[in-house]
Amino acid sequence: MIENWPILSILIFLPIFGALLILLIPSKIDQEGKILKNSITNIKLVSLWTSIMTFLMTLLLSLKFNYTEKQYQFLEFYEWVPSLGIVYRVGLDGLSLPFILLTAFLVPICILCSWNTIQHKIKEFMISFLILEAFIIGMFSALDIVVFYIFFEAVLIPMFLIIGIWGGVERIYASFKFFLYTLLGSVLMLIAIIYIIDTTGTSDLIQVLDYDFSKTEQLLLFLGFFFSFAVKVPMWPFHTWLPDAHVQAPTAGSIILAGILLKMGGYGFLRFSLPLFPDASLFYQPYIFFLSCVAIVYTSFVAFAQQDIKKLIAYSSVAHMGFVTIGIFCFNTQGLDGAVFQMVSHGIISGALFLAIGVIYERTHTRDINKLGDFATTMPKYSVFLMFFTLGSVGLPGTSGFIGEVLVLIGSWKVNPLVAIISGLSLILGAIYMLRFYRKISFGISENQDKYEIHDVNIREFMILIPLVMFIILFGIFPNIVLNFLKVPHFLVLETFK
Amino acid sequence: MFTQNIINNYLQIPGIDGMLLAMPEIFIFCSTLILMILDIFFFKEKSFKNTNKFGIFIIIIAFFLALLLPSTGIAFNGLYFVSELSTFFKLIILLSIFFVFLLSHNKADIEGIKFSEFNFLLLLSTCGMLILVSSNSFLTFFLALELQALPIYVMCALKKNDIKSAEASLKYFLLGALSSGFILFGISLIYGFVGSISFEQVSNISLKENMGINFGLILILAGVAFKISSAPFHMWAPDVYEGTPSPITFFIATAPKISILGILIYLIYRVFSGIHDNLSDLIIVLSLSSMLVGSIGAIVQKNLKRLIAYSSIAHMGFILVGMVAFSEKGLHAIMYYLIIYLFLLTGVFAIILSLQKDDKPIELISDLKGLYNDHPFISICLLIFMFSLAGIPPLSGFFGKWLVFFSAIDSGFYILAILGVLFSVISAFYYLKIIRVMFFENSDTPLIIDGNREIRFLINLSLFVSVLFFALFPIFDYMILNTKI
């Protein structure tokens, strides 16, 4: 019986259902005008259970998923606006499922990590987060260009509120910059999408893929998509919104931003740009290699100079995403595998690093690297966790960071050895700034450590950090868990280039 | 071109039977006169409220008359024309007038417009609008235009002791009279060169090479652009919006513009269908300059209603994008856009009207400070309306924007579409500014919410339409696609 259920739509709308439930929880107010603790706990628990249920459902999907099937799976199809050829079509393939798993895995972690840090408007926070999750899952499973665009842009609304309401001191500036930057990128995609629908007469991706665009059309349409994805990735020089947004966002916001929102760009390249515009992709390859190399080298140096540790991780994200774009535009199996693996692994590692920074920030209320230090003695367990995350970010063999980078390097060596050499050398730069960060945080001397009451990670934080470490090592040792998903979709993508 | 030869498809209805076509207008006009007499003799104390209630009834009945009478055709010796499109516009206009009545019902007191004349003038102006979208000759066109405009000038001045209101009224009247002069001059030129004021005669003549007709058309277009507050004829809008009481501002922002757009579409698609190329350039200029002025001008505004004025200029620019191509897609896009925009403005004005600070209606954007802390529901509604006006999916505004640009790209106006979306990003900035004030800032003096049943109904209705528009889309799709011009 369950075979016929619209299981994917249920997955997409389950978080929204949870958000509606939270909306119904009455927020009773005591004499001091504060919301009763009871209802706050209810809100937190409902959102946690909703996100965990979502995660279990994605696990169920991945169990039922057929690795060798060439068609999209769990397909659902409803007519929406027949006159314009828009259909509601969702489905999964090996490319989208890892990202959906990643999303559903990170959201409960975000909710748990903001358990005590979000002090005001907790109800709204949880609602925004669940709606955000629904939009992201919808975006990764959309197989209609318009449906994709709607989810892609709708993500802006909850994210804008998360940064703007619960963010740091300069949250307004950061949220505006984030919103307008990404909107500016994506409206150009809107024009490209409209053009595609107008020429092909449908917005159904499966049908659009069969259409051959002329070279000129491809070159222009590619640019339309490129700007929106390049801002999301973010590629140099479109990255300037990222440090501000990361620094000002609350911890959970940073995790979701680095872990998933940045991946929307890379996913978009793989899902749309490459299969739809193969000629244009080949044409723009050198330019994208150039931008990515600049991103890797330049942002590594910038990261080295940062005082704010959140900014440091933000810049390192730009560098790591540079590997992703190089891998995508190699047009060979290793490159594509490496890019997607790097995205998944970066999603976990950078999420973990932001979480770790959040843990320190909760205790010391500073993110200045000069004021922090000596956590190896004050918080020994924490230092061990942080070591795993740092080494994962550096790309030590045995962690998941290594696999992605090595695959990308192999892929790019086949296409352009110079790119491989530049990006390979810059791995050293990554090691320099990350190890400096770790040395200072764990073993450095802190100026005013005595002011803060520091206790080691509590049971809740322990429970969040353990699965992250587990996955970093698991993916480092058994990369095929992820790579198995990707065989068929990457084969199909590469077929368009032959 | 799909507009050719439509005119011949409609039946001439002779004599007294033509009255049936004009039934909504006749009904509104007669019942308004009766209502005036009733008001003088019977409604002593509750003059405003009673006339307002009767007005609502009249509008509802007229709505159903327009909806249910199975009427298309040409009446009164070719002066009057009813098509499915004009019926569509009539329904939208009556809907917006219905909203105006509901908005003013309990709020006339605090806005200082508690005179029963408000209702009579509103009804008379409505009558003018309905005739306007049905006019089939330049005589009907001009008379209806004046019938709808003159009551509005008076309505702006209803708040007698307020200097801003007087200024707004005078400005609106002087500039409005000037634009009417332009239109009249244009009509006289066309009459001189064609020898007829009937739309049918004008549309049958080959217009392309005729300089006089082109010139007359430009004058008419200038006058019409003034009435729909499209740049560069927009100067009056910010001052008038700021000066007039909110229910009247809402009225000025919706109904007259809808009716004039209706007749503009009619003129362009049917009467002047021979000179599309010349017209197209003019409308591109109007559209681009409206988007530019609307989105740049609103950034520095501090007064809420001035901001709405600039935003409505920008939206008019988007609507005109749909008109550039003279295609069926463009026409449908405009129809969608008007529905969406009407509901959004209704929601925004209902919220503005329901909020008070220090026993006065709110005026400045900064008055909204900390709205979220005091009234979460209202502020979330306003948030959704703002995102929707900015055109963020999945809210209704996105679909309007999308359809309009679709029509432009469909006809090959790529540069216009790209500039249009870029301007829409600029205009997103000031919608975000309002959200920032509500959500990210705190204030000392609390806002008082004074919403009654009618206003709550309007807020909920607008919320419903803007959030669930994606679900209503197929229904609207069916309705609008089956409308014949």
Tab-separated table of all heavy atoms in Angstrom, chain B residues 40 50 66 76 119 146 209 224 244 255 284 321 336 344 358 375 391 394 400 430 460:
chain	number	residue	atom	x	y	z
B	40	ILE	N	-31.270	62.638	3.167
B	40	ILE	CA	-31.733	63.965	3.596
B	40	ILE	C	-32.906	63.848	4.553
B	40	ILE	O	-32.978	64.523	5.577
B	40	ILE	CB	-32.117	64.820	2.372
B	40	ILE	CG1	-30.864	65.135	1.564
B	40	ILE	CG2	-32.803	66.101	2.789
B	40	ILE	CD1	-31.156	65.690	0.209
B	50	ASN	N	-25.275	54.685	7.781
B	50	ASN	CA	-26.374	54.130	7.006
B	50	ASN	C	-26.101	54.202	5.512
B	50	ASN	O	-26.312	53.227	4.787
B	50	ASN	CB	-27.677	54.854	7.331
B	50	ASN	CG	-28.229	54.381	8.655
B	50	ASN	OD1	-27.892	53.276	9.088
B	50	ASN	ND2	-29.026	55.193	9.293
B	66	ALA	N	-23.563	42.676	-12.952
B	66	ALA	CA	-22.528	42.611	-13.980
B	66	ALA	C	-22.112	41.181	-14.248
B	66	ALA	O	-21.775	40.806	-15.366
B	66	ALA	CB	-21.323	43.445	-13.562
B	76	PHE	N	-26.753	51.598	-27.698
B	76	PHE	CA	-26.911	53.057	-27.782
B	76	PHE	C	-26.246	53.614	-29.034
B	76	PHE	O	-25.391	54.501	-28.962
B	76	PHE	CB	-26.355	53.752	-26.540
B	76	PHE	CG	-26.928	53.234	-25.261
B	76	PHE	CD1	-26.100	52.844	-24.226
B	76	PHE	CD2	-28.289	53.130	-25.078
B	76	PHE	CE1	-26.622	52.367	-23.051
B	76	PHE	CE2	-28.813	52.664	-23.899
B	76	PHE	CZ	-27.987	52.272	-22.880
B	119	ASN	N	-19.816	58.704	0.598
B	119	ASN	CA	-20.405	57.529	-0.036
B	119	ASN	C	-21.037	57.861	-1.386
B	119	ASN	O	-20.898	57.112	-2.346
B	119	ASN	CB	-21.443	56.904	0.884
B	119	ASN	CG	-20.817	56.516	2.204
B	119	ASN	OD1	-19.774	55.903	2.221
B	119	ASN	ND2	-21.431	56.936	3.295
B	146	GLU	N	-14.452	62.058	-16.948
B	146	GLU	CA	-14.702	63.188	-16.061
B	146	GLU	C	-15.643	62.798	-14.931
B	146	GLU	O	-15.475	63.230	-13.788
B	146	GLU	CB	-15.291	64.355	-16.855
B	146	GLU	CG	-14.294	65.004	-17.766
B	146	GLU	CD	-13.047	65.469	-17.027
B	146	GLU	OE1	-13.141	66.453	-16.280
B	146	GLU	OE2	-11.987	64.826	-17.170
B	209	GLU	N	0.355	56.016	-41.343
B	209	GLU	CA	1.119	57.136	-41.882
B	209	GLU	C	0.593	58.477	-41.413
B	209	GLU	O	1.220	59.500	-41.660
B	209	GLU	CB	1.074	57.086	-43.422
B	209	GLU	CG	1.635	55.813	-44.022
B	209	GLU	CD	3.067	55.563	-43.569
B	209	GLU	OE1	3.842	56.538	-43.505
B	209	GLU	OE2	3.388	54.397	-43.258
B	224	VAL	N	-3.567	59.793	-20.198
B	224	VAL	CA	-3.864	58.533	-19.513
B	224	VAL	C	-2.725	58.166	-18.574
B	224	VAL	O	-2.941	57.711	-17.443
B	224	VAL	CB	-4.132	57.432	-20.550
B	224	VAL	CG1	-4.100	56.082	-19.906
B	224	VAL	CG2	-5.472	57.656	-21.215
B	244	THR	N	-4.122	62.631	1.440
B	244	THR	CA	-5.507	62.195	1.593
B	244	THR	C	-5.641	61.160	2.705
B	244	THR	O	-4.699	60.458	3.020
B	244	THR	CB	-6.006	61.551	0.284
B	244	THR	OG1	-5.026	60.609	-0.139
B	244	THR	CG2	-6.215	62.567	-0.784
B	255	ALA	N	-9.083	51.681	-7.836
B	255	ALA	CA	-10.188	51.648	-8.793
B	255	ALA	C	-9.990	52.528	-10.031
B	255	ALA	O	-10.142	52.027	-11.153
B	255	ALA	CB	-11.494	51.986	-8.081
B	284	ILE	N	7.196	51.505	-23.836
B	284	ILE	CA	8.460	51.084	-23.223
B	284	ILE	C	9.057	52.232	-22.413
B	284	ILE	O	9.523	52.048	-21.284
B	284	ILE	CB	9.456	50.602	-24.301
B	284	ILE	CG1	9.023	49.247	-24.845
B	284	ILE	CG2	10.853	50.488	-23.726
B	284	ILE	CD1	9.893	48.733	-25.945
B	321	VAL	N	4.722	46.775	-18.759
B	321	VAL	CA	5.541	45.802	-19.491
B	321	VAL	C	4.633	44.808	-20.209
B	321	VAL	O	4.888	44.415	-21.345
B	321	VAL	CB	6.500	45.060	-18.530
B	321	VAL	CG1	7.170	43.902	-19.244
B	321	VAL	CG2	7.544	46.000	-18.008
B	336	TYR	N	-4.005	39.225	-14.421
B	336	TYR	CA	-3.517	38.593	-13.183
B	336	TYR	C	-2.946	39.637	-12.235
B	336	TYR	O	-3.223	39.654	-11.037
B	336	TYR	CB	-2.386	37.620	-13.507
B	336	TYR	CG	-2.807	36.249	-13.926
B	336	TYR	CD1	-2.555	35.795	-15.202
B	336	TYR	CD2	-3.420	35.401	-13.035
B	336	TYR	CE1	-2.903	34.531	-15.595
B	336	TYR	CE2	-3.774	34.123	-13.408
B	336	TYR	CZ	-3.523	33.699	-14.692
B	336	TYR	OH	-3.864	32.450	-15.072
B	344	LEU	N	-3.204	42.745	-2.564
B	344	LEU	CA	-2.060	43.141	-1.739
B	344	LEU	C	-2.269	44.526	-1.146
B	344	LEU	O	-2.059	44.745	0.052
B	344	LEU	CB	-0.783	43.134	-2.576
B	344	LEU	CG	-0.213	41.762	-2.844
B	344	LEU	CD1	0.975	41.863	-3.766
B	344	LEU	CD2	0.194	41.124	-1.539
B	358	ASP	N	-0.635	57.082	19.528
B	358	ASP	CA	-1.081	58.297	20.215
B	358	ASP	C	-2.432	58.770	19.686
B	358	ASP	O	-2.613	59.957	19.400
B	358	ASP	CB	-0.046	59.424	20.061
B	358	ASP	CG	1.315	58.988	20.530
B	358	ASP	OD1	1.359	58.143	21.450
B	358	ASP	OD2	2.319	59.457	19.970
B	375	HIS	N	2.102	43.217	18.261
B	375	HIS	CA	1.041	42.525	17.516
B	375	HIS	C	1.652	41.565	16.498
B	375	HIS	O	1.804	41.914	15.329
B	375	HIS	CB	0.161	43.543	16.793
B	375	HIS	CG	-0.352	44.595	17.686
B	375	HIS	ND1	-1.285	44.361	18.660
B	375	HIS	CD2	-0.004	45.900	17.795
B	375	HIS	CE1	-1.525	45.467	19.307
B	375	HIS	NE2	-0.761	46.422	18.815
B	391	GLY	N	7.833	40.500	-4.806
B	391	GLY	CA	7.844	39.460	-5.829
B	391	GLY	C	8.672	38.254	-5.464
B	391	GLY	O	9.341	37.670	-6.308
B	394	PRO	N	7.026	31.818	-2.678
B	394	PRO	CA	5.852	31.361	-3.417
B	394	PRO	C	4.645	32.288	-3.246
B	394	PRO	O	3.519	31.838	-3.418
B	394	PRO	CB	5.579	30.010	-2.771
B	394	PRO	CG	5.995	30.188	-1.347
B	394	PRO	CD	7.091	31.200	-1.346
B	400	GLY	N	2.616	37.464	-10.486
B	400	GLY	CA	2.328	38.626	-11.308
B	400	GLY	C	3.549	39.059	-12.082
B	400	GLY	O	3.514	39.235	-13.304
B	430	TYR	N	13.308	48.519	-0.370
B	430	TYR	CA	12.493	49.302	0.565
B	430	TYR	C	11.368	48.486	1.183
B	430	TYR	O	10.901	48.809	2.264
B	430	TYR	CB	11.977	50.604	-0.045
B	430	TYR	CG	11.264	50.518	-1.364
B	430	TYR	CD1	9.928	50.199	-1.432
B	430	TYR	CD2	11.922	50.824	-2.533
B	430	TYR	CE1	9.265	50.161	-2.639
B	430	TYR	CE2	11.272	50.783	-3.752
B	430	TYR	CZ	9.941	50.442	-3.793
B	430	TYR	OH	9.285	50.398	-4.978
B	460	ASN	N	-7.520	39.139	6.508
B	460	ASN	CA	-7.478	37.691	6.333
B	460	ASN	C	-7.670	37.293	4.880
B	460	ASN	O	-7.006	36.390	4.381
B	460	ASN	CB	-8.569	37.021	7.182
B	460	ASN	CG	-8.241	37.121	8.648
B	460	ASN	OD1	-7.080	37.230	8.996
B	460	ASN	ND2	-9.249	37.117	9.486
